[in-house]
Each structure stands twice: as structure tokens, then as C-alpha cells.
């Protein structure tokens, strides 16, 4: 199985869901025309950006609008969508939630960010999720995590020990920590012997300039696609057989001794 995966690295308009829904619809159409991907990935909080103080007004009620929007796009273009993440408003909290849709427009899974990032005030406005982001997409066991989550190797390992062969990362990662972004993503790919497909945003907001540098990394740690800081797309064909080859060559998962790691 050798699907093409595209990351849409977009400049999210601060606090303007209507604008961002429109630009995502346009960019998905361009991405499909350009590379005909099997899977499309969007960045973190792509409807609102980090306009966290106004989430009571701009967050998506129960995620309904986003689920319908992504489902229609996935069905129209027959493409699987790792729908970045959006601010999902429930009765008494807001979560940073990723929606996954298959290429029939059917809901597959949702994951809400477990690790809230205090440096960008998430803990003041968002509620953490608790469930894992494990799902199957395009016939491939996958995991979905959100930005700051990549700093917690135990959390990623909790997904790959359950069979995940692709780690999808959606993010709004600032430019001053670009080195951390790149190093952490390469580390997660190498130590888990999985593909890492990481979609960051471009542009800036009133508080941060963002790094872009969306990346697609293979299970050996080879970078097979990387963006620069600008708005755009990256695409790559992945071969899930590579996961088995790498794990057969250096059997990390067989050699683990978790009883000693406590
Ligand atoms: N949106 C985020 O979670 C940002 C995480 C980040 O910048 C980091 O350094 O970690």
C-alpha cells in the first residue's frame, strides 16, 4: 500500500472561522488537483487560531459544523482527511479536537489534545482530552496527536505499541523552537520506527510567528518531504511495508523491557 499524503500548511486567520473554512475548502481542491492524495492533513486549531479569549463566540458547538464540513469535503473529493484540530465547544468546556474522516465522508475518530501547552495559555481556556488517538485510515493503523503532545515520548509509544504505523501530528508550532520541532519529530519517527506526517501552520498571529516546516519522515528517520516557512503544500508517497522492514532489521518493539522502565 503506497498512498500519497499531503499536508496543507496554511496561514490561519486569527479568530475568523468563516475565512478559514473558505480557505481550507479552496486549498483542499488545489491539493487534490495537484497531487491526488489518498490522505490530506490540516494544522492545529485551523478554524480559530489561538484566539483563545474569544472561544465562547468562535468555537464550534459540539464540533458539528466542522464534522459536516470535513465529511462533505472528504466525500466530494474521495479523500481521507486528518482534519487538523478545532476548538470544540461542549456544555461547560472547550477542547482542542482532531476529527478524522474517511474518503466516503464517514466519521472515523476524534482525539482531543491530552497535553495542554501553558506557554500559549491553553490551560486557561481549554480542557484536556483523556482518550488515545488510535484509528485506521486507508487500511493503515495510525495515531493522531496534537503539537505539544510530541514532547511526551511515552504518549507516542502508548500508540505505537498498539500497532500505529503512521503518526499524524497537527500543530501550531512557533518559529523560535523550530529546532525542537524538527528534532522531536525525527526522534519520534526513529524511536517508534513509524512514519511521522506533521502538518504545521505558516504565518503569524498577535503573539507568535510560526515555523511552518511541515514534514513527512519515514520509519528510518529519512525526511521524505519538508516545507519551508511559507504557506504551501508538501506531499509524499509512503510505503507501509517500510515499517515492517525497519522493525525487522532493528526489533525495538520485541526488545523492549517495560517491566524495568517503571
Ligand atoms: N501548539 C502547541 O502545542 C505548541 C507547542 C510548542 O510550541 C512546544 O514548544 O512544545
Amino acid at each position: 500500500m503506497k498512498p500519497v499524503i499531503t499536508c496543507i500548511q496554511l496561514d490561519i486567520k486569527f479568530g475568523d472561522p468563516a475565512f478559514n473554512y473558505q480557505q481550507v475548502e479552496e486549498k483542499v481542491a488545489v491539493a487534490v488537483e495537484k497531487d491526488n492524495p489518498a490522505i490530506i492533513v490540516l494544522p492545529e486549531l485551523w478554524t480559530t487560531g489561538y484566539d483563545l479569549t474569544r472561544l465562547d463566540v468562535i468555537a464550534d458547538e459540539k464540533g458539528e459544523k466542522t464534522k459536516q464540513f470535513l465529511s462533505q469535503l472528504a466525500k466530494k473529493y474521495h479523500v481521507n482527511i486528518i482534519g487538523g484540530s478545532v476548538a470544540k465547544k461542549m456544555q461547560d468546556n472547550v477542547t482542542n479536537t482532531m476529527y478524522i474522516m474517511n474518503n466516503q465522508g464517514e466519521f472515523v475518530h476524534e482525539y482531543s489534545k491530552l497535553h495542554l501547552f501553558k506557554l500559549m495559555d491553553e490551560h486557561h481556556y481549554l480542557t484536556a482530552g483523556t482518550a488515545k488517538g488510535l484509528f485506521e485510515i486507508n487500511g493503515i493503523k495510525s495515531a493522531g496527536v496534537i503539537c505539544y503532545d510530541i514532547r511526551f515520548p511515552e504518549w507516542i509509544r502508548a500508540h505505537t505499541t498498539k500497532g500505529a504505523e503512521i503518526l499524524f501530528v497537527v500543530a501550531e508550532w512557533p518559529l523560535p523552537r523550530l529546532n525542537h520541532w524538527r528534532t522531536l519529530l525525527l526522534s519520534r519517527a526513529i524511536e517508534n520506527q513509524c512514519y511521522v506526517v506533521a502538518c504545521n501552520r505558516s504565518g503569524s498571529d498577535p503573539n507568535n510567528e510560526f515555523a511552518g516546516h511541515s514534514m513527512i519522515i519515514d520509519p528510518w528517520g529519512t525526511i521524505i518531504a519538508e516545507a519551508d516557512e511559507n504557506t504551501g503544500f508538501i506531499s509524499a508517497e509512503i510505503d507501509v511495508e517500510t515499517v515492517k522492514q525497519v522493525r525487522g532489521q532493528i526489533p525495538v518493539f520485541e526488545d523492549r523491557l517495560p517491566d524495568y522502565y517503571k
Side-chain angles (χ1 to χ4, degrees):
M1 193 181 305
K2 297 185 179 181
V4 171
I5 302 180
T6 293
C7 295
I8 299 181
Q9 180 169 292
L10 74 147
D11 183 359
I12 297 164
K13 191 167 182 185
F14 193 69
D16 191 341
F19 179 90
N20 291 316
Y21 279 115
Q22 179 64 35
Q23 75 162 332
V24 163
E25 184 163 8
E26 291 164 359
K27 289 186 182 293
V28 166
V30 171
V32 167
E33 178 67 26
K34 179 174 175 291
D35 292 321
N36 189 29
I39 303 170
I40 282 177
V41 191
L42 296 172
E44 179 181 17
L45 290 180
W46 59 269
T47 55
T48 58
Y50 269 80
D51 191 358
L52 302 183
T53 62
R54 294 178 55 237
L55 288 183
D56 57 326
V57 175
I58 60 176
D60 185 6
E61 194 78 35
K62 297 179 183 174
E64 291 304 333
K65 179 177 173 65
T66 303
K67 283 185 280 188
Q68 184 180 20
F69 173 80
L70 293 174
S71 172
Q72 288 172 347
L73 272 183
K75 189 171 184 179
K76 178 177 180 180
Y77 294 109
H78 193 68
V79 63
N80 301 286
I81 300 180
I82 311 298
S85 73
V86 298
K88 169 190 171 185
K89 184 163 64 178
M90 299 302 281
Q91 192 165 356
D92 52 8
N93 66 44
V94 179
T95 53
N96 182 345
T97 298
M98 174 192 289
Y99 290 113
I100 295 102
M101 298 292 169
N102 70 19
N103 58 19
Q104 305 296 313
E106 297 163 337
F107 171 82
V108 172
H109 193 67
E110 69 177 79
Y111 164 71
S112 293
K113 189 174 187 178
L114 175 65
H115 301 93
L116 299 181
F117 190 53
K118 296 181 176 71
L119 199 56
M120 290 168 74
D121 285 340
E122 289 186 7
H123 58 307
H124 291 311
Y125 301 96
L126 298 173
T127 298
T130 54
K132 289 187 178 66
L134 277 170
F135 55 90
E136 187 165 310
I137 199 75
N138 209 61
I140 305 169
K141 287 189 175 180
S142 302
V145 296
I146 303 174
C147 211
Y148 185 43
D149 284 329
I150 66 173
R151 287 187 182 271
F152 302 88
E154 312 94 311
W155 184 235
I156 308 308
R157 182 75 88 184
H159 291 74
T160 53
T161 52
K162 293 197 169 34
E165 297 182 318
I166 305 179
L167 173 67
F168 292 100
V169 181
V170 301
E172 290 203 28
W173 195 283
L175 184 57
R177 296 187 295 280
L178 171 59
N179 178 44
H180 292 191
W181 166 255
R182 299 187 78 255
T183 305
L184 287 163
L185 292 173
L186 283 162
S187 299
R188 298 296 87 86
I190 293 167
E191 69 193 4
N192 290 285
Q193 302 175 314
C194 67
Y195 279 96
V196 169
V197 179
C199 185
N200 192 20
R201 67 160 291 178
S202 57
S204 61
D205 73 11
N207 305 304
N208 285 292
E209 184 178 4
F210 294 95
H213 281 271
S214 298
M215 300 177 79
I216 302 176
I217 306 165
D218 83 358
W220 191 248
T222 302
I223 299 171
I224 53 181
E226 182 171 7
D228 56 19
E229 285 85 22
N230 298 309
T231 297
F233 307 86
I234 58 166
S235 294
E237 179 183 86
I238 72 159
D239 180 357
V240 284
E241 281 308 307
T242 309
V243 175
K244 293 176 180 60
Q245 288 164 6
V246 171
R247 292 180 180 176
Q249 187 176 350
I250 302 178
V252 163
F253 287 86
E254 291 167 28
D255 292 346
R256 289 183 66 241
L257 299 169
D259 291 346
Y260 289 89
Y261 303 160
K262 296 184 176 76

